[in-house]
Amino acid sequence: MQYGYFDNEKREYVIDNVALPCSWTNYLGVEDMAAVINHTAGGYLFYKTPEYHRIIRFRGNGVPMDRPGFYVYIRDNEKKDYHSISWQPVAKDLSKASYRCRHGLSYTVYESEYDGLASSQTMVIPRGENVLLWDVKVKNTTDAVRDLSLFTYMEFSFHHIMIDNQNFQMSLYCAGSSYEDGIIEEDLFYEEKGYQYLTASFTPDGYDCVRDKFLGVYGTEDHPAGLDRAVLSGSTELGGNHCGSLQKNFKLQPGEEARFVIMLGEGNREEGRRIRVKYSDLKRVDAVYTDLAAYWKQKYDALQIKTPNEGMNTLINTWTLYQSEINVMFSRFASFIEVGGRVGLGYRDTAQDAMTIPHSNPDKCRERIEQLLKGLTTTGYGLHLFSPEWFEEKTGEKPFQSPTVIPEPDKQSMIHGIKDACSDDALWLVGAVVEYIKETGDLNFARKEFTYADTYVLGNKVTESVYEHLKRILDFSAEQVGDDGICKGLRADWNDCLNLGGGESAMVSFLHYWALQHFITLAEILGEREDAKHYHQLANKVKA
């Protein structure tokens, strides 16, 4: 069954059969704030970290799937009937309504036609701001005046994913909500400057800040008590579970269209006021789309192909680039599979990602490469999973120890031994470094010095060049071989489900040879003739 198609002109994937068997997700944001959002507006929003600074709550692996999310309900007050623009959560009968999702480059659009109303909801995060805009349009396609109400709904998180999902003894007392001047504010009591807000371009006719008041104790997102009442209760609470629901009553003449902008952001009420003023100007909202289109055009213009195969052109020219950019931006721990419950960098994943787009995002690739260099041990293996912050100089003191902020790890637990090393991890970095230098021409990068993870933690901050880091990686694999001279699999060899326990891995020896070829090219260009000769001999040995 076909659920959608690629629109190559708009560089969108269009889902016109929204009853998918699993989620089709998109990523919004290219800086500090990001949303993982699916084809029915389910998902979550976070600021910098999906584990310790989640802004909205998300229940992964649930039924119905991917709830809650970023919902807009439209209610006909005469008929007492309502629907959601994104199909879910109300989920009107698809034989009586039309729904479509368009995933684009850093934006997603939901479109619906139901009971004479044509509506859309565009989700986007502007560059330079930490706010998610919900750009909503509702048009009356009938010849009768329509008496309508718009309701928003999202559920605030307690920031820390573990507190969201487990520690209710704490979570029910760690946040409060309030409403003033058209702005809902959530206050995280255990954090300095721990605030989020929801506001809109309109003056609300009602609001609810308490989840159980909007939904009802026995209500759900698809049948919330607030929409049955048609009037929100004006709830706030110091404690409990918090939501963002704003109500706007309006009428549409035949053929008339209304436009509203909802704003969900990071910061306190004052920040909400600033953002509300800024994006109540619809020209500034339209400028966000223009800016993001130019941002992505600069990237895909760096490499475009034309082959007889349209599918290959579509894949390479837009979606492989987009996937790679997202991976380099956010690592791989924010999705609907890795739902943000752990953060940091996977060594091999990040090295692979960093070698994909040095042509379109050289600065971010270099940043990731530098983080991996600092996550390498003097023995020559990389830390399989680590946080780059471990190896950065600390600035400033935390005002108080909060249970909801990123914890300081025990230094002794940061560096794992060889028994927990994956034999392929660091070999990928050799290729990433050389591809970066080949693409950018930055030969000086090979001479730049970085610390090693183990000496940094011990306080003996030994530094060596990138070039020397790569030699340690190649030498480590040359030493870690079995009886047949083939590289050992160690804890794993790229297939993490196969823990070889010291058995040999042909795959790693293939990878070792591949990394050696990259390094030999670099050594020759740098004039390191002895090294080029030595590692060429090693490559021949590995090949044999």
Side-chain angles (χ1 to χ4, degrees):
M1 181 178 289
Q2 182 171 329
Y3 293 94
Y5 61 92
F6 292 102
D7 183 333
N8 290 333
E9 183 176 346
K10 294 182 179 179
R11 296 181 189 265
E12 295 177 343
Y13 188 77
V14 181
I15 300 167
D16 47 19
N17 181 353
V18 292
L20 292 171
C22 61
S23 279
W24 199 298
T25 56
N26 194 13
Y27 286 77
L28 312 182
V30 297
E31 296 169 330
D32 287 339
M33 177 171 280
V36 188
I37 191 167
N38 85 337
H39 63 287
T40 60
Y44 57 91
L45 179 71
F46 64 90
Y47 175 70
K48 293 187 177 180
T49 163
E51 183 174 12
Y52 298 107
H53 208 115
R54 185 75 65 90
I55 292 174
I56 86 163
R57 184 177 285 180
F58 178 73
R59 300 177 184 87
N61 200 27
V63 177
M65 67 180 186
D66 307 332
R67 290 193 183 179
F70 312 87
Y71 301 135
V72 176
Y73 304 86
I74 305 297
R75 186 183 194 273
D76 186 303
N77 295 319
E78 292 182 0
K79 300 178 182 180
K80 299 181 181 180
D81 183 28
Y82 55 84
H83 70 286
S84 42
I85 296 176
S86 52
W87 185 47
Q88 294 291 322
V90 176
K92 289 293 186 181
D93 187 337
L94 291 175
S95 67
K96 300 176 181 178
S98 172
Y99 295 91
R100 186 166 69 164
C101 170
R102 293 166 29 222
H103 283 324
L105 305 183
S106 297
Y107 68 88
T108 288
V109 184
Y110 305 102
E111 298 171 331
S112 69
E113 294 183 14
Y114 174 73
D115 190 30
L117 296 173
S119 306
S120 67
Q121 174 186 345
T122 304
M123 311 295 287
V124 68
I125 296 174
R127 290 206 299 158
E129 297 286 6
N130 295 312
V131 62
L132 173 67
L133 304 180
W134 316 12
D135 186 358
V136 176
K137 298 176 182 177
V138 184
K139 185 175 183 178
N140 177 8
T141 61
T142 70
D143 57 5
V145 177
R146 306 296 293 271
D147 180 11
L148 306 169
S149 291
L150 175 150
F151 296 83
T152 70
Y153 180 74
M154 47 72 56
E155 186 176 344
F156 280 111
S157 167
F158 298 121
H159 272 187
H160 195 313
I161 191 171
M162 297 295 282
I163 297 174
D164 263 359
N165 297 322
Q166 284 183 281
N167 192 354
F168 299 122
Q169 184 277 334
M170 176 183 175
S171 66
L172 296 180
Y173 299 94
C174 75
S177 56
S178 62
Y179 175 87
E180 184 182 307
D181 296 335
I183 304 168
I184 292 173
E185 179 188 78
E186 187 199 32
D187 180 357
L188 282 298
F189 300 145
Y190 289 103
E191 297 182 32
E192 184 191 34
K193 301 179 181 179
Y195 298 96
Q196 278 82 236
Y197 64 85
L198 181 78
T199 189
S201 59
F202 53 79
T203 299
D205 295 301
Y207 67 90
D208 265 319
C209 304
V210 179
R211 181 194 67 182
D212 297 352
K213 294 295 185 182
F214 176 79
L215 295 180
V217 177
Y218 291 99
T220 61
E221 292 98 345
D222 51 318
H223 198 146
L227 268 79
D228 286 341
R229 293 192 307 265
V231 178
L232 297 184
S233 64
S235 60
T236 64
E237 189 173 339
L238 299 181
N241 293 286
H242 307 281
C243 73
S245 184
L246 298 173
Q247 176 180 352
K248 178 60 179 177
N249 304 325
F250 63 105
K251 291 185 178 180
L252 287 180
Q253 300 297 318
E256 185 181 8
E257 181 178 81
R259 186 178 181 185
F260 311 99
V261 181
I262 297 98
M263 308 154 204
L264 173 60
E266 171 69 16
N268 59 15
R269 184 168 282 112
E270 287 304 311
E271 174 66 2
R273 286 192 180 97
R274 183 186 72 82
I275 289 293
R276 185 184 189 187
V277 169
K278 181 174 182 177
Y279 291 111
S280 290
D281 182 347
L282 298 180
K283 291 181 180 178
R284 287 179 169 169
V285 178
D286 293 336
V288 171
Y289 306 129
T290 302
D291 176 68
L292 277 171
Y295 172 86
W296 283 107
K297 184 177 186 301
Q298 184 179 22
K299 290 183 176 298
Y300 61 66
D301 276 354
L303 173 65
Q304 293 288 279
I305 68 167
K306 185 176 182 180
T307 76
N309 188 302
E310 182 181 2
M312 178 175 283
N313 298 339
T314 300
L315 184 70
I316 300 300
N317 290 339
T318 301
W319 300 105
T320 300
L321 168 74
Y322 189 51
Q323 178 84 30
S324 301
E325 285 276 353
I326 295 300
N327 280 347
V328 171
M329 286 179 205
F330 301 125
S331 186
R332 302 196 193 182
F333 293 137
S335 67
F336 282 7
I337 299 171
E338 288 277 5
V339 293
R342 57 176 180 161
V343 292
L345 299 179
Y347 207 97
R348 76 163 70 96
D349 296 346
T350 305
Q352 291 168 351
D353 296 340
M355 73 177 73
T356 60
I357 52 167
H359 66 289
S360 64
N361 201 343
D363 292 342
K364 193 65 179 182
C365 287
R366 177 169 174 158
E367 178 186 332
R368 291 303 192 202
I369 288 169
E370 291 181 354
Q371 290 167 341
L372 294 175
L373 289 163
K374 295 175 184 178
L376 187 74
T377 64
T378 52
T379 307
Y381 62 86
L383 302 181
H384 188 60
L385 174 62
F386 72 96
S387 293
E389 295 80 12
W390 295 352
F391 311 116
E392 294 175 359
E393 295 297 328
K394 305 298 187 294
T395 57
E397 292 290 331
K398 293 179 180 177
F400 56 89
Q401 184 61 36
S402 167
T404 61
V405 299
I406 301 175
E408 291 286 348
D410 174 40
K411 287 187 176 182
Q412 300 306 315
S413 68
M414 292 180 181
I415 313 301
H416 62 67
I418 292 179
K419 67 181 180 61
D420 292 316
C422 292
S423 53
D424 67 300
D425 278 356
L427 286 168
W428 296 102
L429 182 59
V430 180
V433 168
V434 177
E435 287 299 325
Y436 168 80
I437 293 173
K438 286 164 65 177
E439 182 66 35
T440 63
D442 184 9
L443 281 170
N444 291 331
F445 182 65
R447 302 302 189 188
K448 187 174 179 181
E449 294 201 345
F450 292 93
T451 54
Y452 290 96
D454 47 345
T455 62
Y456 186 93
V457 168
L458 294 173
N460 178 23
K461 299 175 184 178
V462 174
T463 64
E464 282 188 336
S465 68
V466 173
Y467 182 81
E468 293 298 329
H469 278 65
L470 302 188
K471 287 171 64 175
R472 287 182 185 258
I473 294 169
L474 298 172
D475 292 346
F476 174 78
S477 293
E479 294 165 2
Q480 293 296 320
V481 296
D483 293 340
D484 299 297
I486 303 298
C487 289
K488 293 179 181 178
L490 300 181
R491 182 177 182 272
D493 73 337
W494 198 36
N495 180 356
D496 289 341
C497 298
L498 183 63
N499 294 331
L500 297 176
E504 292 175 322
S505 168
M507 180 267 169
V508 178
S509 280
F510 294 153
L511 183 61
H512 189 200
Y513 183 83
W514 171 86
L516 283 162
Q517 298 306 307
H518 277 80
F519 180 80
I520 291 165
T521 301
L522 177 62
E524 289 173 344
I525 290 175
L526 292 174
E528 299 287 352
R529 294 183 179 83
E530 289 301 315
D531 282 342
K533 179 180 178 181
H534 169 73
Y535 287 102
H536 184 72
Q537 291 173 344
L538 176 58
N540 287 337
K541 181 180 178 182
V542 173
K543 183 176 180 179

